[in-house]
Amino acid sequence: MGNFKILTFTMTDTPVKKNIFYRVFYFYYDGFKSMTVGKQLWIIIIIKLFIMFAILKVLFFPDLLKEKFKTDRERGDYVIEQLSKSH
């Protein structure tokens, strides 16, 4: 019963608009606004994604095609050659 009152309260705070994008935005906005533990978890997730995509990519996945070849044409030819090799 208590959860129903909280849900009713958050739904009445959202402005009544017929635009679906506006209603979806306020649905998530109210959800994030009422989070307590979830905010900290989202911060941890964002930090982990930043580390994975920004730092680890630079350190462990260098752009080999840019290092080996100077032009896009050479890179394209190399990729086509590697893909069309028959084993």
Side-chain angles (χ1 to χ4, degrees):
M1 192 70 163
N3 290 338
F4 181 70
K5 286 183 178 179
I6 291 171
L7 181 63
T8 305
F9 176 73
T10 57
M11 292 300 285
T12 56
D13 279 349
T14 59
V16 179
K17 296 279 183 179
K18 293 190 177 196
N19 186 354
I20 187 74
F21 298 110
Y22 203 73
R23 287 186 291 163
V24 168
F25 171 76
Y26 271 98
F27 174 77
Y28 286 104
Y29 179 75
D30 282 341
F32 283 113
K33 196 167 71 174
S34 63
M35 282 186 184
T36 55
V37 178
K39 286 180 184 176
Q40 294 169 347
L41 294 175
W42 274 106
I43 291 171
I44 292 171
I45 290 170
I46 290 171
I47 290 171
K48 284 178 70 174
L49 288 174
F50 174 75
I51 290 171
M52 284 176 20
F53 288 107
I55 296 173
L56 293 180
K57 183 188 180 309
V58 172
L59 294 177
F60 295 110
F61 302 106
D63 194 359
L64 296 176
L65 289 177
K66 275 198 173 180
E67 292 175 1
K68 286 184 176 180
F69 306 103
K70 293 180 181 176
T71 64
D72 287 339
R73 176 82 178 182
E74 292 174 343
R75 289 181 205 123
D77 290 342
Y78 177 75
V79 170
I80 289 172
E81 179 185 322
Q82 294 299 314
L83 290 175
S84 63
K85 272 186 177 177
S86 62
H87 294 279

